[in-house]
């Protein structure tokens, strides 16, 4: 199939492009490079041994999208493009609503006008808010509002996609709800490359390990979890990438909207992740436990991934140890990410 990948230069997009090519698909990437570098695409080309079709365009620009859809016969779209920094979204909500919503609407309109109806959308476990229980099933009631504008854009987009599916206009829509993606390609040549001080745990840990940051602050130690620190479902980015390939090869039915968790089903605490990283890298990660919780954080969040297995035949293969080893291979070979 010819797959259009929005945000394909980004962290998850670049790994997914590789898995798509490995599975015989052709890929067209659109990315405005607002949170990524062209170098990620160049390196993906090196891994797969072929050139990729890449457009540096903002997908809010409908004319630019029209040109791409007119030039290529597109069979399906994986829509990664979006802004994702939770803290920034609280400070600049309009930037997030503008980018994430307008880009999605413009993409859907152009898809509709070109009769391209198969979509896989990057959603997030953030749509569950503070879950009533874990592991989280897709049938959990979604809150009317989540705690930050970033998460709210995912909830609004999911609602919009559900409305689109019931138009009976032959849309086939899959929203993959990612838990916490970590790790890097096993080659160590592509990986997560935050442009600023990382907000997320794994890139922070690896930048402490490489000596770019002094120490990690563990946010909160009095959660009702086994060691008092937050528990999350860390999913290797290559496993996550493969879930997209599975979603395309087992597509939603006509007029179907389906939401599917992509996680391992296993919760790991902050302290357990630090320890796994230290073992995988052989490097000590200095940290201090702060009594202060990060606003908006929840105690535990992990998936019931059984639907992904029954519908897509997909299951996570890699362990936390694999993810830590791969993150470290990427970080130590590229201390400054793609910027040399
Ligand atoms: P990323 O920032 O690395 O990738 C997103 C890409 O989209 C970037 O390359 C960016 O330049 C591009 N982009 C943003 N706005 C655009 C626009 N208007 N036009 C064209 N390109 C645009 O992020 P990621 O971690 O790879 O995340 C991919 C998707 O998965 C996002 O939608 C994100 O919200 C979602 N998601 C990520 C996580 C996570 O923890 N990484 C978890 C759940 C969901
Ligand atoms: C994990 C754990 C922190 C940093 C976020 C988004 C979510 C999704 C994935 C996009 C928590 C603790 C963290 C640090 C720490 N993204 N921590 N010190 O918050 O589960 O999810 O990324 O959709 O929407 O909210 O991930 O990696 O930030 O935090 O102690 O310096 O690590 O408190 O328990 P989170 P995270």
């Amino acid at each position: 199939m010819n797959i259009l990948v929005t945000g394909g230069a980004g962290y998850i997009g670049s790994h997914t492009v590789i898995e798509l090519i490995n599975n015989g698909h052709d890929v067209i990437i659109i990315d405005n490079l607002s949170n990524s570098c062209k170098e990620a695409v160049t390196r993906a080309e090196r891994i797969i041994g072929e050139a990729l079709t890449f457009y540096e365009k903002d997908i809010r620009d409908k004319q630019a999208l029209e040109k791409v859809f007119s030039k290529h016969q597109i069979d399906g779209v994986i829509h990664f493009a979006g802004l994702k920094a939770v803290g920034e979204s609280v400070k600049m909500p309009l930037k997030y609503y503008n980018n994430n919503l307008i880009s999605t609407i413009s993409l859907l309109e152009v898809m509709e006008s070109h009769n391209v109806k198969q979509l896989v959308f990057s959603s997030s476990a953030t749509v569950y808010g503070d879950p009533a229980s874990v592991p989280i099933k897709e049938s959990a009631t979604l809150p009317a509002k989540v705690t930050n504008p970033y998460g709210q854009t995912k909830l609004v987009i999911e609602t919009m996609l559900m409305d689109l599916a019931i138009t009976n206009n032959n849309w086939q829509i899959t929203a993959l709800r990612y838990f916490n993606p970590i790790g890097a390609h096993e080659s160590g040549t592509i990986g997560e490359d935050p442009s600023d001080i990382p907000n997320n745990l794994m890139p922070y840990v690896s930048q402490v390990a490489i000596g770019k940051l002094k120490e990690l602050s563990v946010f909160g130690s009095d959660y009702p979890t086994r060691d008092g620190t937050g528990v999350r479902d860390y999913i290797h980015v290559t496993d996550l990438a493969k879930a997209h390939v599975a979603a395309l090869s087992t597509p939603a039915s006509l007029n179907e909207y389906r939401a599917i968790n992509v996680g391992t089903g296993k919760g790991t605490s902050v302290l357990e992740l630090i320890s796994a990283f230290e073992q995988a890298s052989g490097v000590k990660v200095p940290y201090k436990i702060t009594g202060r919780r990060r606003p908006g954080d929840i105690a535990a969040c992990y998936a019931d991934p059984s639907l992904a297995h029954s519908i897509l035949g997909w299951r996570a293969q890699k362990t936390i140890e694999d993810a830590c080893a791969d993150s470290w291979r990427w970080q130590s070979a590229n201390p400054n990410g793609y910027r040399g």
Side-chain angles (χ1 to χ4, degrees):
M1 290 167 80
N2 282 342
I3 306 300
L4 178 72
V5 181
T6 76
Y11 171 45
I12 305 167
S14 56
H15 289 80
T16 303
V17 163
I18 290 168
E19 297 307 317
L20 287 167
I21 300 286
N22 286 343
N23 283 276
H25 296 290
D26 289 319
V27 168
I28 299 123
I29 299 172
I30 305 188
D31 197 305
N32 65 0
L33 303 182
S34 58
N35 195 39
S36 52
C37 302
K38 178 75 200 313
E39 177 65 13
V41 177
T42 306
R43 294 200 188 179
E45 287 175 327
R46 214 176 294 150
I47 292 171
I48 59 180
E50 60 183 79
L52 287 160
T53 306
F54 173 77
Y55 294 95
E56 184 180 340
K57 295 285 174 204
D58 191 306
I59 61 164
R60 285 170 293 185
D61 178 350
K62 274 181 83 174
Q63 281 188 343
L65 272 180
E66 278 287 349
K67 279 194 188 147
V68 173
F69 275 79
S70 300
K71 182 150 188 229
H72 302 273
Q73 170 64 48
I74 291 165
D75 301 308
V77 176
I78 306 182
H79 178 33
F80 292 107
L83 299 174
K84 63 165 183 178
V86 171
E88 186 187 56
S89 80
V90 175
K91 292 192 194 108
M92 308 171 87
L94 290 180
K95 180 176 174 186
Y96 277 69
Y97 285 112
N98 182 311
N99 191 76
N100 294 2
L101 298 185
I102 293 179
S103 62
T104 304
I105 293 169
S106 110
L107 174 68
L108 294 169
E109 287 177 348
V110 176
M111 285 177 73
E112 185 138 64
S113 71
H114 287 261
N115 204 28
V116 178
K117 303 286 180 63
Q118 196 184 149
L119 176 73
V120 178
F121 171 63
S122 297
S123 189
S124 168
T126 196
V127 299
Y128 293 116
D130 192 353
S133 62
V134 282
I136 307 173
K137 281 185 178 300
E138 291 83 350
S139 54
T141 307
L142 301 184
K145 193 167 183 328
V146 292
T147 52
N148 62 80
Y150 161 71
Q152 192 66 20
T153 67
K154 295 292 179 195
L155 201 54
V156 170
I157 293 169
E158 280 212 35
T159 309
M160 196 159 72
L161 296 176
M162 286 176 214
D163 288 340
L164 203 52
I166 55 176
T167 58
N168 283 333
N169 216 357
N170 292 343
W171 281 91
Q172 299 172 271
I173 303 175
T174 305
L176 295 180
R177 293 179 179 156
Y178 315 158
F179 281 67
N180 291 58
I182 60 167
H185 190 263
E186 60 185 3
S187 63
T189 54
I190 63 167
E192 188 169 9
D193 182 23
S195 51
D196 212 335
I197 295 175
N199 302 305
N200 296 116
L201 181 61
M202 182 56 117
Y204 206 104
V205 164
S206 51
Q207 290 199 13
V208 170
I210 199 80
K212 285 182 76 176
L213 296 169
K214 202 165 130 278
E215 69 178 356
L216 171 77
S217 295
V218 176
F219 300 140
S221 54
D222 59 351
Y223 285 108
T225 58
R226 48 187 174 267
D227 61 19
T229 67
V231 164
R232 298 289 183 273
D233 186 337
Y234 296 98
I235 169 92
H236 195 294
V237 66
T238 299
D239 278 335
L240 174 56
K242 288 180 174 167
H244 294 79
V245 178
L248 290 172
S249 56
T250 318
S253 309
L254 290 184
N255 305 314
E256 184 189 15
Y257 172 83
R258 58 184 191 181
I260 302 176
N261 287 342
V262 186
T264 65
K266 187 172 170 284
T268 301
S269 74
V270 177
L271 296 181
E272 287 165 347
L273 188 94
I274 296 170
S275 157
F277 188 92
E278 288 182 335
Q279 284 209 351
S281 64
V283 177
K284 205 92 204 104
V285 178
Y287 68 87
K288 66 165 186 284
I289 296 184
T290 67
R292 214 169 5 92
R293 294 180 176 191
R294 189 172 60 177
D297 268 358
I298 56 179
C301 176
Y302 53 95
D304 176 337
S306 52
L307 195 65
H309 188 246
S310 62
I311 294 186
L312 305 179
W314 173 93
R315 186 178 266 160
Q317 308 283 338
K318 292 181 182 271
T319 62
I320 289 285
E321 290 71 24
D322 296 330
C324 289
D326 291 339
S327 283
W328 179 238
R329 193 173 301 109
W330 154 252
Q331 183 70 70
S332 48
N334 304 275
N336 297 313
Y338 293 117
R339 281 161 280 264

